[in-house]
Amino acid sequence: MRPALIPGKWLSRTLELATGLGRRRCSVRASGREVRVRFAPSPTGFLHLGGLRTALYNYLFAKKHGGAFILRLEDTDRSRLVPGAAESIEDMLEWAGIPPDESPRHGGPCAPYEQSKRLDLYHAVAQTLLDTGAAYRCFCTPQRLELLKREAVRNRQTPRYDNRCRHLTPKQVEEKLSRSSPYVIRFHLQEGPQPFQDLVYGWTQHDVASVEGDPVILKGDGFPTYHLANVVDDHRMDVSHVLRGAEWLISTAKHLLLYQALGWQPPQFAHLPLLLNKDGTKLSKRQGDIFIQHYVHSGYLSDALLDLITNCGSGFIENQMGRTLDTLIQQYELGKTSTHSALLDLDKLPEFNRIHLTSWIDGTETRVQLVGQLQALLKDTYKDLELDKKLIERILLLRKGHLCRLTDLLSPEYSYLWIRPSVIREQLQCLTSEGSKIKDLVVRLLQENASDLSLDTLNGELRRRLKHVKDTKYSSAMKLLRMALSGHEHGPSVAEMLISLGHEESIVRLQNVFPD
């Protein structure tokens, strides 16, 4: 939707008031140039996998070089803003473990970090460009622009502005302004290629003026376009390196012309190859699993998601599973980023998560976090259930390496851990007529060993004692015990179930099924 044009008198007055602000700049440099990078999403939607990858590579580069990671919200497209998206983007970065050093939430020396709150700066720079002749007012109506577009399409040409208003005389401009004719401000593109060295793609150049018309840099509603706003903000915020998607590679020539017109030193650019589905198709917001919130709600660990999206790409000496964020920072090398698109295989995420969940269970501090998370999930699922943290910790340690997600423990397969199953004795009698004898042998084993037995020791004791059962195979005895304890024919070993439930609860369950 095209923003409504505002009468030229209003925009002119705004530019006039803003002129004195054009020289403001935050001061963040010490001796030499500090590494400062930014992630600048538009809150017209929630954070998705492609955005997370761009943010991550910026974060890794900043931390690798002891620099700052900035979150800046490019919220100038007011008609497409999604309520809650701005807050959610920062929430998701914090969940991923890559919080910005400067942001709308945390502030910083270059605040504000929302472009909608920096309009005076853009107006001042636009006025400077007008004063030097590097920009001009365009009074073309939406109707004329639409006719140009239709004519180009009819002639099978790429639509472009014909730069008509570039040639207006000062007198013609004054006449239109005196009538309060609506206008936008366009940047005068200089002809000729603009070579620059991209840190990923190497030397590249584009003669943007040969394929495009002069771009709008300030709209009629007073809001800047991306081209002006990102140049102004990167300069004002002393951004040293711009790491962004390869889709902006061609536009960089346009931005370099703006830097040149303003007499500013541009940052270094590194354009990251696209992140695609495993079949080579583009990630689409219509995919239900593209947004980071989906993975949070599905119980995946941030470490696993970061590991997966870096494993499928480049920028590292070698790809390996199980890398933590600290390892990613240590191993990251921007110069090793290839120009080939990264193919993301989301089918591998459960295995990545299993590896990281195993590591979290091994870690003392991270295991405490998992216990707290699982306890909260269980209370939501089973309401009045009160569980000992030691029991939950014991279960996590026993199931280590078998779980892909923490939420797996909420599935019906594991319900026996939290609530007693309903087991009909007649179902067990189909397996053997020696159920009571088997129960007595196991109960006696548990009673004689008040202290916890190791899994291997308990497995050995079960096998030794159940030799006294003459008419029942060991495998049938195990199936009977498993059903008595869990209500399931299949699942973890009986020894693991006994340890998970604890001696006391195991005895109660066995005696309920086979009362004396």
Side-chain angles (χ1 to χ4, degrees), residues 478-489:
M478 289 297 101
K479 182 178 289 188
L480 178 138
L481 289 169
R482 187 179 291 110
M483 288 188 68
L485 293 168
S486 69
H488 300 306
E489 290 188 20

Side-chain angles (χ1 to χ4, degrees), residues 469-485:
V469 181
K470 302 299 183 183
D471 299 327
T472 306
K473 292 182 178 180
Y474 181 75
S475 59
S476 297
M478 289 297 101
K479 182 178 289 188
L480 178 138
L481 289 169
R482 187 179 291 110
M483 288 188 68
L485 293 168

